Amino acid sequence: MIPILSPTPDNIRRAAEALRRGSLVAMPTETVYGLAGDALNPKALARIFEVKRRPFFDPLIVHISERSWVEKLCHQIPDGARTLMERFWPGPLTLVLAKRDIVPDLATSGLDTVAVRMPSHPVAQALLQEAGTPLAAPSANPFGRLSPTCAEHVAADFSDGIDCILDGGPCAVGVESTVIGWEDGKPLLLRAGGIALEAIEVVIGKVLEKTSATPVPQSPGNLPWHYAPRTPLELWNPGDSLLRANSGLLWFGTETAPRGFVHTENLSPKENLQEAAANLFSALHRLDHAGLSCIYAQILPDVGLGRAINDRLRKAAAAPHLAHEGDC
Ligand code: TXA
Ligand code: MG
């Protein structure tokens, strides 16, 4: 059993010591819980890939608590990146920038860029300060599976390999950070996330969206499936008829949910996309543990955080379920 610790100063010191020894700590961030290790220690990085069963081609995000780390980790920083740091850090925005040699190749899967983010969660900030080193942290779930938005989700997914889980309560944002890179000097959306694309474009103008023609490195954001519950998930529109027995519904909005589902979760009865994002992974975890044959999920409006939510739902629906009975 991995201990779940409240984030007292003593426990943050204990966690920081573990990180300096090269061990891993599950830490809360405002987006999802992260599986943190010393970003400058290749052994700790290797442990992250091992514990998460993550393929080595999939680069990690490096978390920092002070802007001075940006210059130490990165160079050739575009003006637009500086503007975005100014406006959105600390917060759910990751910037992919040219890396310096200090960043181990394991963190970047051999790419010459590194993803950097400054989380706003006070426990993540305190842990980064106390550890005194940047922390690499993917979401603290087994590769490809639902992201954790509370300490209990992490504890349910792992039984060893992590020194402790710092309990910072439920994550306020609920979907991972927005990832922005630059190509030929132009900003590119690599992953929709906790900061709406519209808000970013207000600050730096048009951001290109990744298309199949855009050569980008292999990563979870780019894999055809990800964020998947163990129960098969299918996208569903009201009016679609092909329903299986013993199914659940992920619903959104003010209208009464259709009947006939064993378990229904409404992401936001007020149709608020921020509330829906904050509830997304908890609702999917609950549906996944309800003994259902199938989860039907409604696609949300494709604006603001709806874009990040729909991306997660589309990738979850694309997951293979060869081992599961009663696929929908
Ligand atoms: O909100 C978040 O970002 C959370 C919390 C824990 O901070 N972390 C997270 O990490 O979502 P992870 O490992 O699940 O996702 C990392 C994303 C991947 O989609 C990957 O494509 C992208 O970051 N990434 C990392 N390094 C990259 C690079 N050099 N070039 C392009 N994409 C990169
Ligand atoms: Mg992840």
Side-chain angles (χ1 to χ4, degrees):
M1 276 262 291
I2 303 166
I4 300 183
L5 306 179
S6 64
T8 60
D10 273 355
N11 285 336
I12 285 177
R13 263 194 297 279
R14 167 200 160 144
E17 273 163 29
L19 289 166
R20 284 195 296 268
R21 282 198 310 272
S23 297
L24 307 185
V25 168
M27 70 169 178
T29 82
E30 68 280 18
T31 58
V32 300
Y33 276 66
L35 183 59
D38 182 348
L40 304 183
N41 177 347
K43 280 191 189 141
L45 296 170
R47 204 161 282 164
I48 293 176
F49 285 97
E50 188 190 328
V51 169
K52 204 180 141 90
R53 277 173 274 131
R54 180 178 175 116
F56 282 103
F57 63 69
D58 202 351
L60 303 172
I61 294 175
V62 174
H63 298 66
I64 57 173
S65 60
E66 283 163 20
R67 278 280 289 274
S68 57
W69 274 107
V70 174
E71 313 294 333
K72 291 180 205 157
L73 301 170
C74 313
H75 61 130
Q76 298 168 344
I77 300 159
D79 289 344
R82 291 188 193 282
T83 311
L84 290 178
M85 288 174 208
E86 210 54 60
R87 173 68 185 80
F88 294 112
W89 276 7
L93 175 70
T94 294
L95 303 173
V96 174
L97 301 167
K99 93 173 188 72
R100 290 190 190 274
D101 290 344
I102 180 181
V103 182
D105 285 335
L106 255 183
T108 65
S109 302
L111 297 172
D112 53 11
T113 51
V114 59
V116 186
R117 132 166 158 84
M118 186 188 287
S120 63
H121 196 293
V123 176
Q125 288 269 346
L127 185 64
L128 282 158
Q129 295 274 351
E130 189 70 34
T133 179
L135 297 175
S139 50
N141 54 280
F143 181 70
R145 294 296 164 193
L146 288 178
S147 301
T149 51
C150 64
E152 290 73 24
H153 291 160
V154 184
D157 268 345
F158 297 98
S159 52
D160 55 18
I162 307 176
D163 181 84
C164 61
I165 301 167
L166 286 175
D167 188 352
C171 302
V173 175
V175 289
E176 293 84 347
S177 59
T178 303
V179 182
I180 302 280
W182 274 261
E183 219 170 60
D184 301 327
K186 297 197 186 77
L188 185 66
L189 178 71
L190 295 175
R191 178 176 73 182
I195 296 205
L197 182 62
E198 293 89 334
I200 291 171
E201 290 190 326
V202 166
V203 180
I204 56 165
K206 182 78 192 145
V207 174
L208 300 175
E209 288 195 57
K210 180 179 53 119
T211 65
S212 50
T214 314
V216 286
Q218 287 274 30
S219 65
N222 306 325
L223 291 171
W225 71 272
H226 201 64
Y227 311 110
R230 292 181 195 280
T231 314
L233 182 145
E234 192 169 292
L235 304 179
W236 188 74
N237 294 305
D240 284 0
S241 55
L242 204 87
L243 279 187
R244 303 288 161 123
N246 189 32
S247 55
L249 176 66
L250 189 69
W251 184 244
F252 169 81
T254 50
E255 283 178 33
T256 313
R259 289 207 285 215
F261 295 92
V262 177
H263 183 127
T264 297
E265 292 278 345
N266 192 338
L267 287 179
S268 172
K270 290 179 294 201
E271 295 194 3
N272 176 321
L273 290 169
Q274 277 169 357
E275 181 183 44
N279 289 333
L280 176 68
F281 284 117
S282 297
L284 283 171
H285 275 280
R286 283 194 294 275
L287 284 162
D288 204 17
H289 287 99
L292 303 168
S293 307
C294 179
I295 300 167
Y296 289 94
Q298 194 194 7
I299 283 290
L300 276 59
D302 223 5
V303 293
L305 294 198
R307 196 190 291 262
I309 297 169
N310 289 341
D311 168 68
R312 296 342 178 235
L313 293 176
R314 290 194 179 103
K315 293 228 163 78
H321 287 105
L322 302 174
H324 202 283
E325 292 172 15
D327 278 8
C328 43

